[in-house]
Amino acid sequence: MFHRKKTVWFYLAPGLIGLLAFYFIPFVWGMWFSVTDGSIDNRYVGFSNYLRIWQNPMFQLGLRNTLELSLLCAPMIFLLSFFLATMLRKRVAGDGFFRNALLMPYLMPSAAMLIIWQILFDYGGVLNRLVTALGLERVMWLEGSAMRAPILVLYIWKNLGFSVVIFTAALQAVPEALYEYASLEGAGYVRREWYITLPQILPTAFLVLVLAMVNAFKIFKEVYIIGGAYPDETVYTLQHYMNNMFSKLEYQAVTTAAYSFAVIVVLLFLLMYRTRQVRQGEAA
Amino acid sequence: MKKTVARLLPMMLGWILVFGFVFPARAGMVVSTTFESQEVDPAQTVQSLAAVGGAVYTLNALGKIGRYVPATRESSPVGACVMTQYMADDQAVAKALEVAGEGMIPLSWLFSDTDTLYGLCIATGQWYALLGEDGSYAPLMQEPKLDTRSLGRSQGAEYSSVSVNGLFARDGYLYYTALSYESGISYRAGRINLDTGEDQPFSTPFINQMIPWKDGALLCLVFDQMNALNSSTGEMESPQYGVLDPQKDAFTALGQLPKGESTFGGFVSGLCGDPAQDMLYYSTGGRVMGLNLATGEIHISAYSGEGMLGGFSTDAQAQWVDGYYVKKTQDGLVRYELDSEAMAAGALRIFGEMGGEAHKSFLANYPDIPVDVATDYTIKLEDLTSAMVSGSDAYDVMLLNMSYMPVRQLIEKGYAMDLSGYPEIMEAASRLDTKFVAPLQKDGKVYGVPVDMTSVSLTLNLERWTELGLSKEDAPSSYEELFDFFANWEADYMDDFPDMKLLDIEPYKLVLFSVMLNDYLSYLQAGSLPLSFDTPAFRRAMTAFEAIDFSAFGQDTGPVAQAEVSYGGEESLFRYESAVGQLSRPMDNPALLLSFGTGEKPVVGVNTSVLIINPKTTRLEQAKLYVANYLKNLPRTGARIVLFPENNEPVESKTYASDKKSIQEELEKQSKLLESAEESAKAEVRERITQLELTLENLEAHRFIVTAQAIEEYREQQEPYLWVNRQSVLYTSDTSEVNNLMLQYLDKAITLDQMIQGMDQRVRMMELEAQ
């Protein structure tokens, strides 16, 4: 038995070494970095970097915007993907095509999507032509606070497919008989999904929500591609702050902001996890 | 000369120079500092060298032949000849000989076989054994005349269009490699039979360098330098080396030299070797590499201390002499001990140096200190600082630009050594202009020393200006006045001066905007004003700018970012150039110092290069020595006067004394000749005397390359307005949005208000981030 245990470690070693080298050591190293002053002697300064960063108006702005964008994107992705997954549950002709079509944006490089977005949202773009055809004023979608709209749409469009796939997989496990019985009882779409589907796939739904939240927290590429390093204040995110600090060689600020960000994400996750446990407890 | 921006590298460099603000260097990336123009002393310029025994013989630009023993560093004069390297025609040689007088022979190159020194005059094909049996100078003409057409001999041609890379004799043949500029650039390699004079070119193409090797064979570098840049990879190709059998005219490749670290890594020069040890040596970047042909092992054999451009020259000849590598450079002969003990212990590592006068003086003054100069100028600052922390591959001394690099940040974070405790540096630093030192001080201590400054501005061509009926006093003194002048050009002058160009670089719109913007940033910094574009000063200038109709100059077509940049208006009314503090330039092209309001004082922003020492250097003594030596040997026509307010002595041309002496000697000679000459020849001699007197007069008129008047004018008119630019927040991170806003404005896609609002918003964000 002991001999077999040693063999297990042998097989685990490559993965563990990788984890140690590429995750654990950089994680601890980064943590150390966030409590040093960045001088040539890299002196320990306690939590003064954290105090400085949390008092920085741009960090605060980035955090606020990131939270706002996340709170907008995550529920929308959750609801839309759930809705689309339920629509695709039924075996109909061409459902495979729709599933794939939804996943395609997820696989597309963001930079390539920008071109499409510029065609759509440019001042003289498709959307503004529609707007003017309706007799309304053109909007500078890619400038100022209006930039939020194309960013939200771009983000949701790009990330929706992934959540749909997860939901679709989970829906396969829900017995069809439950729906037939509910239909016989006269339950409509909303009642069926709320009372049958959601309780059946609650762990998956929780996972989708957590992933959507965590991913939405990392919104950056989409904003950066459209707005650059210094976009309008309404779309300046936490990742902008970190990216710009890196460009300015302020590594302490980068690591401090990154760990602050990680703590917030973990706290959010714990909050959601706790809520789920309470809900499950209530249901039991 | 018109090319699109993307096509040519030089053009892109031009863009960076001209539109430094619009296209600033990527934040954190260390870019080169300055290329400085240097005086060339012909007495020091070795034109050709050849090794015989344990000595190297040199021929300089004045026709002096010298002898140098690398082992002892002893040098001694050997003799003199008429230097004919740039002559192609034997008539020109005859004329030069006539002036030189009897006993002189014409020579353009030295060469040797194993134990005899020869000289060759390419323009005539004559060659001479130069030394007598006792080693003294005793030129003896050899027969027959050689067919030197491959080396540039050309009847009736004014100048030779061939540059010889190397010559040596073996087994009755003179071997040559050369670069021809006749109808494009082409390589030439071959041999001339010394018994018949007949030329036999080799058929292998692109033989770049060639040295004698074993068993009558030749070792060659085969390399097309002109097409060395691989456009698909963006990297330089490296040369192939191999053996050439001259009898069969057959080349056998042995391998390819490794790519160097240099930005111009593919360029190698100064090929020489020690066949007995199978060792091949060559220069690349700042290093002399040793390649063992038997094992294929390659290593650094010496540090040349040259920068990125080391090895760039196509004719940097070198000789291996008893374990020394002796190379000819623009500044004379340099010698490196190969694989020395001192070298094995590493080298003083310098970053940012491009091979300027002060740096070279260190190499000359301390030849026993190996110096390794960074040859990759695209290193990121974070890599430099990381290396300083880890101590691995760190530089000991760094030359950084204060306008584009976070020098202040480095000082604050302890990445620059406190120099206050070192009297050898502080003695010179205490005499520096305080405005240059102040940004490098913290708590009264000095952490770096300024060593160079440049300031690019508009200059006024006074000759053109007076043609317009205007005087120097009428020159614009503010940006409003300058822009008004441009706006009114069509109405006031265009009909009378249709061919006059206003600026030497087009498009005017971008140049004027960039110049103004750069000065505006300096103006704000100098006045301790917040960085904002929504100010009366900026709006005033922009209002005047908007009044200019650029279509009147035929340039308001298409997006500015895609505009074709055109250079070459040397005779234009205004020029965009480095003029402030450039004291050796002509005074009839004064710099325009423009303010942001009539009657206000101008602010002249200067980009300053500073030297800092790595506080963790393990070569502190050498680093201190380097900085102290640097300060003592700053370029005498610029930094030495600009940075040191007490230096007000005019600067004499390096060649003045020797030129005067030789003219006076010639005058004496001709005067004596006049006394003894026959009556019929006297007129010609008198003519020569008159010419020599005129030359002397001209020499006196140009004795000083920096005159007392130029220094005085600088002290009065420019120095009071200098502002040492600090790194602006606009240069600290990705500012593409700010650039885009400017370009959108110039393309009229957005209004001035939109641009100002957008730029201010972004600047504010940058500043808040930095809090």
Side-chain angles (χ1 to χ4, degrees):
Chain A
M1 191 64 185
F2 182 66
H3 174 74
R4 283 183 65 190
K5 269 189 184 171
K6 277 166 88 175
T7 315
V8 167
W9 282 113
F10 175 76
Y11 286 114
L12 282 174
L16 287 176
I17 290 169
L19 268 175
L20 198 70
F22 299 112
Y23 285 90
F24 187 71
I25 293 174
F27 185 82
V28 175
W29 190 257
M31 212 176 259
W32 164 246
F33 231 68
S34 72
V35 290
T36 57
D37 68 353
S39 70
I40 193 161
D41 299 319
N42 225 19
R43 284 180 290 265
Y44 174 73
V45 289
F47 286 94
S48 66
N49 287 332
Y50 286 90
L51 285 173
R52 183 167 61 94
I53 293 304
W54 279 87
Q55 285 167 3
N56 185 286
M58 293 310 284
F59 176 83
Q60 292 169 359
L61 176 71
L63 185 63
R64 194 165 57 242
N65 284 339
T66 305
L67 276 170
E68 280 176 22
L69 286 168
S70 305
L71 290 173
L72 278 169
C73 289
M76 283 171 87
I77 284 194
F78 181 84
L79 291 174
L80 272 172
S81 57
F82 180 74
F83 172 71
L84 288 168
T86 57
M87 289 291 107
L88 291 167
R89 182 173 49 204
K90 286 179 184 167
R91 291 277 164 201
V92 291
D95 60 342
F97 168 78
F98 287 112
R99 256 192 291 271
N100 288 334
L102 282 167
L103 199 59
M104 283 308 284
Y106 188 74
L107 305 173
M108 279 173 72
S110 299
M113 289 202 297
L114 172 70
I115 299 166
I116 302 169
W117 242 241
Q118 277 176 337
I119 294 167
L120 287 173
F121 288 96
D122 197 44
Y123 192 65
V126 176
L127 197 67
N128 268 336
R129 282 184 207 173
L130 281 170
V131 167
T132 47
L134 292 169
L136 300 169
E137 286 279 312
R138 284 189 198 209
V139 182
M140 296 273 270
W141 296 107
L142 302 178
E143 300 279 340
S145 56
M147 207 194 289
R148 269 196 173 194
I151 285 167
L152 275 175
V153 179
L154 175 62
Y155 182 80
I156 291 168
W157 179 60
K158 184 169 164 55
N159 292 284
L160 193 63
F162 182 66
S163 300
V164 171
V165 169
I166 296 176
F167 269 130
T168 311
L171 288 179
Q172 306 302 319
V174 182
E176 193 62 32
L178 291 175
Y179 294 109
E180 286 168 9
Y181 181 73
S183 297
L184 288 172
E185 291 292 322
Y189 171 77
V190 175
R191 280 171 167 264
R192 276 204 312 271
E193 304 308 333
W194 183 253
Y195 288 110
I196 298 172
T197 312
L198 214 51
Q200 290 287 326
I201 61 161
L202 197 61
T204 306
F206 180 71
L207 175 73
V208 169
L209 192 63
V210 167
L211 283 177
M213 200 69 188
V214 171
N215 284 332
F217 243 80
K218 293 193 286 186
I219 286 185
F220 176 60
K221 263 189 297 182
E222 293 77 5
V223 192
Y224 186 80
I225 288 169
I226 295 177
Y230 292 94
D232 187 81
E233 284 183 359
T234 53
V235 285
Y236 180 92
T237 67
L238 208 49
Q239 294 266 350
H240 275 98
Y241 179 78
M242 288 192 266
N243 191 57
N244 294 343
M245 286 292 110
F246 186 78
S247 297
K248 290 176 183 169
L249 313 177
E250 291 279 359
Y251 305 129
Q252 271 58 36
V254 178
T255 47
T256 308
Y259 283 97
S260 304
F261 171 78
V263 168
I264 293 165
V265 173
V266 169
L267 284 176
L268 264 172
F269 177 78
L270 287 176
L271 184 71
M272 288 164 72
Y273 189 72
R274 182 77 192 133
T275 312
R276 183 192 156 209
Q277 277 185 329
V278 170
R279 285 261 175 95
Q280 277 181 335
E282 283 171 359
Chain B
M1 185 179 84
K2 279 198 163 188
K3 299 279 175 194
T4 51
V5 179
R7 267 180 220 156
L8 289 172
L9 181 66
M11 198 64 85
M12 290 184 73
L13 289 173
W15 269 85
I16 291 164
L17 176 74
V18 176
F19 311 119
F21 184 83
V22 179
F23 302 105
R26 174 78 169 81
M29 187 164 279
V30 182
V31 290
S32 63
T33 52
T34 51
F35 285 97
E36 86 194 27
S37 62
Q38 291 169 25
E39 291 176 83
V40 176
D41 183 355
Q44 290 292 320
T45 309
V46 176
Q47 298 292 86
S48 168
L49 79 166
V52 177
V56 173
Y57 290 86
T58 58
L59 172 62
N60 77 10
L62 298 175
K64 308 282 187 208
I65 299 167
R67 182 175 187 271
Y68 177 74
V69 182
T72 59
R73 288 191 181 133
E74 283 172 353
S75 56
S76 52
V78 172
C81 67
V82 173
M83 164 48 79
T84 62
Q85 199 167 90
Y86 300 108
M87 298 174 194
D89 173 65
D90 56 6
Q91 297 297 320
V93 174
K95 211 176 252 181
L97 281 173
E98 199 182 309
V99 174
E102 280 178 26
M104 296 293 270
I105 58 161
L107 288 184
S108 41
W109 277 83
L110 299 181
F111 66 93
S112 64
D113 61 13
T114 48
D115 53 8
T116 310
L117 179 71
Y118 295 100
L120 170 71
C121 175
I122 290 171
T124 61
Q126 290 167 323
W127 58 297
Y128 303 84
L130 297 179
L131 305 178
E133 282 183 10
D134 59 351
S136 62
Y137 185 57
L140 184 66
M141 194 191 288
Q142 307 290 301
E143 291 293 341
K145 274 191 180 181
L146 307 179
D147 178 359
T148 50
R149 282 174 297 177
S150 292
L151 302 178
R153 182 182 182 186
S154 178
Q155 213 61 35
E158 203 171 342
Y159 298 106
S160 171
S161 55
V162 178
S163 162
V164 175
N165 294 344
L167 288 181
F168 62 88
R170 282 295 182 279
D171 308 324
Y173 287 92
L174 171 64
Y175 291 90
Y176 65 83
T177 47
L179 202 57
S180 166
Y181 300 95
E182 286 169 8
S183 57
I185 293 171
S186 61
Y187 296 89
R188 292 177 178 179
R191 61 181 187 172
I192 300 168
N193 189 321
L194 293 174
D195 293 326
T196 64
E198 183 199 357
D199 181 16
Q200 299 168 1
F202 294 138
S203 58
T204 304
F206 303 120
I207 295 180
N208 206 231
Q209 295 177 62
M210 190 160 69
I211 57 170
W213 204 241
K214 293 174 179 175
D215 308 321
L218 311 168
L219 205 125
C220 305
L221 279 191
V222 174
F223 183 40
D224 182 5
Q225 280 203 5
M226 301 305 150
N227 297 300
L229 185 69
N230 186 326
S231 55
S232 57
T233 62
E235 289 185 358
M236 301 293 289
E237 296 292 345
S238 61
Q240 197 177 41
Y241 61 93
V243 174
L244 182 86
D245 182 340
Q247 306 300 332
K248 296 177 185 164
D249 188 10
F251 175 76
T252 310
L254 297 177
Q256 198 148 15
L257 294 181
K259 285 177 184 166
E261 290 174 12
S262 162
T263 306
F264 292 99
F267 288 90
V268 299
S269 67
L271 186 74
C272 61
D274 175 12
Q277 301 295 324
D278 271 320
M279 286 302 295
L280 192 67
Y281 299 98
Y282 62 91
S283 278
T284 181
R287 290 160 181 186
V288 178
M289 306 300 294
L291 169 64
N292 188 321
L293 289 183
T295 62
E297 179 261 340
I298 190 158
H299 66 276
I300 302 166
S301 278
Y303 294 104
S304 70
E306 292 176 295
M308 182 176 73
L309 301 180
F312 193 69
S313 170
T314 53
D315 72 338
Q317 301 162 63
Q319 295 284 348
W320 177 88
V321 181
D322 299 336
Y324 294 95
Y325 181 86
V326 185
K327 182 178 165 185
K328 90 175 178 74
T329 70
Q330 197 185 40
D331 307 302
L333 213 57
V334 285
R335 148 242 197 245
Y336 308 106
E337 189 178 351
L338 295 167
D339 304 310
S340 68
E341 281 179 26
M343 206 232 99
L348 177 70
R349 303 194 74 218
I350 313 290
F351 178 84
E353 177 54 50
M354 302 288 280
E357 211 173 305
H359 169 76
K360 281 181 185 169
S361 78
F362 181 81
L363 302 180
N365 293 339
Y366 301 96
D368 293 327
I369 299 179
V371 178
D372 189 17
V373 179
T375 48
D376 181 358
Y377 293 92
T378 57
I379 295 172
K380 286 182 177 172
L381 187 69
E382 55 259 39
D383 294 334
L384 284 182
T385 51
S386 300
M388 283 162 83
V389 172
S390 70
S392 167
D393 287 333
Y395 289 94
D396 301 296
V397 181
M398 282 166 282
L399 183 61
L400 303 172
N401 187 304
M402 272 188 51
S403 304
Y404 305 108
M405 303 298 300
V407 174
R408 192 68 218 171
Q409 200 181 339
L410 291 176
I411 291 172
E412 296 288 344
K413 292 197 168 187
Y415 286 93
M417 179 172 271
D418 172 16
L419 307 175
S420 308
Y422 306 126
E424 58 271 56
I425 296 172
M426 291 310 294
E427 188 278 320
S430 63
R431 289 183 287 110
L432 283 162
D433 189 337
T434 49
K435 70 166 81 72
F436 286 98
V437 185
L440 302 165
Q441 286 179 310
K442 191 179 106 179
D443 303 330
K445 292 174 178 171
V446 178
Y447 289 85
V449 286
V451 290
D452 197 12
M453 59 77 79
T454 55
S455 178
V456 188
S457 60
L458 291 177
T459 59
L460 177 67
N461 185 330
L462 278 178
E463 200 182 324
R464 295 279 88 78
W465 188 249
T466 47
E467 279 175 29
L468 301 176
L470 298 166
S471 69
K472 195 177 175 182
E473 286 67 40
D474 298 323
S477 63
S478 69
Y479 275 101
E480 279 172 271
E481 289 177 24
L482 177 77
F483 293 158
D484 283 347
F485 179 82
F486 271 77
N488 297 324
W489 173 260
E490 190 179 13
D492 295 347
Y493 301 103
M494 195 175 255
D495 288 343
D496 297 331
F497 303 93
D499 298 326
M500 191 179 282
K501 289 190 77 162
L502 293 197
L503 267 171
D504 60 332
I505 306 172
E506 295 175 6
Y508 295 173
K509 187 198 281 185
L510 194 50
V511 177
L512 292 177
F513 185 75
S514 303
V515 174
M516 188 271 290
L517 215 51
N518 268 329
D519 275 358
Y520 180 69
L521 291 178
S522 302
Y523 159 80
L524 292 179
Q525 277 191 357
S528 302
L529 299 168
L531 178 51
S532 169
F533 297 92
D534 194 6
T535 63
F538 189 71
R539 285 191 178 275
R540 269 199 309 270
M542 289 309 296
T543 305
F545 178 79
E546 290 199 324
I548 304 171
D549 177 12
F550 289 99
S551 64
F553 307 105
Q555 295 171 8
D556 206 14
T557 53
V560 168
Q562 290 161 25
E564 290 185 331
V565 179
S566 165
Y567 298 87
E570 276 81 14
E571 290 301 308
S572 61
L573 189 58
F574 302 103
R575 296 191 67 183
Y576 185 58
E577 57 187 329
S578 180
V580 174
Q582 301 296 312
L583 304 169
S584 56
R585 55 188 299 281
M587 294 174 72
D588 54 358
N589 246 16
L592 276 180
L593 308 185
L594 301 170
S595 69
F596 281 87
T598 308
E600 283 195 23
K601 285 181 181 172
V603 174
V604 182
V606 293
N607 297 332
T608 311
S609 298
V610 299
L611 276 181
I612 62 168
I613 295 180
N614 174 0
K616 290 196 169 180
T617 176
T618 53
R619 296 174 173 268
L620 181 58
E621 288 308 312
Q622 291 178 355
K624 284 189 310 190
L625 208 55
Y626 182 85
V627 175
N629 183 85
Y630 207 103
L631 281 171
K632 281 181 196 154
N633 293 282
L634 292 176
R636 60 196 198 120
T637 60
R640 202 184 296 183
I641 296 168
V642 172
L643 298 176
F644 292 93
E646 65 191 38
N647 280 1
N648 292 304
E649 287 298 308
V651 180
E652 196 176 89
S653 157
K654 270 185 182 171
T655 58
Y656 168 77
S658 59
D659 285 352
K660 187 176 178 180
K661 192 179 163 206
S662 61
I663 295 169
Q664 281 174 333
E665 281 172 1
E666 190 57 34
L667 260 173
E668 272 176 40
K669 205 165 114 186
Q670 294 297 329
S671 298
K672 279 180 190 165
L673 200 66
L674 185 67
E675 285 168 17
S676 59
E678 288 178 14
E679 206 57 42
S680 58
K682 278 189 175 176
E684 196 181 331
V685 178
R686 277 199 197 96
E687 176 61 25
R688 267 188 233 149
I689 289 172
T690 312
Q691 283 301 322
L692 283 167
E693 284 170 346
L694 278 173
T695 310
L696 193 61
E697 212 173 288
N698 193 37
L699 185 73
E700 288 297 340
H702 295 95
R703 175 179 174 179
F704 296 107
I705 47 175
V706 175
T707 62
Q709 191 195 348
I711 297 174
E712 197 182 326
E713 281 193 12
Y714 164 74
R715 298 274 183 236
E716 282 175 8
Q717 295 169 18
Q718 296 181 351
E719 194 185 64
Y721 307 113
L722 296 192
W723 168 253
V724 179
N725 283 335
R726 276 71 160 170
Q727 190 191 26
S728 159
V729 69
L730 286 175
Y731 291 111
T732 56
S733 54
D734 186 353
T735 53
S736 53
E737 292 83 41
V738 177
N739 291 339
N740 281 341
L741 281 168
M742 292 182 215
L743 291 172
Q744 281 173 18
Y745 165 71
L746 291 175
D747 287 338
K748 297 174 186 163
I750 57 174
T751 64
L752 177 64
D753 282 335
Q754 284 173 315
M755 179 187 74
I756 288 175
Q757 197 187 349
M759 293 207 303
D760 273 359
Q761 186 200 340
R762 280 152 180 87
V763 165
R764 204 179 70 249
M765 289 168 85
M766 289 173 195
E767 286 176 338
L768 286 174
E769 271 180 348
Q771 275 182 9

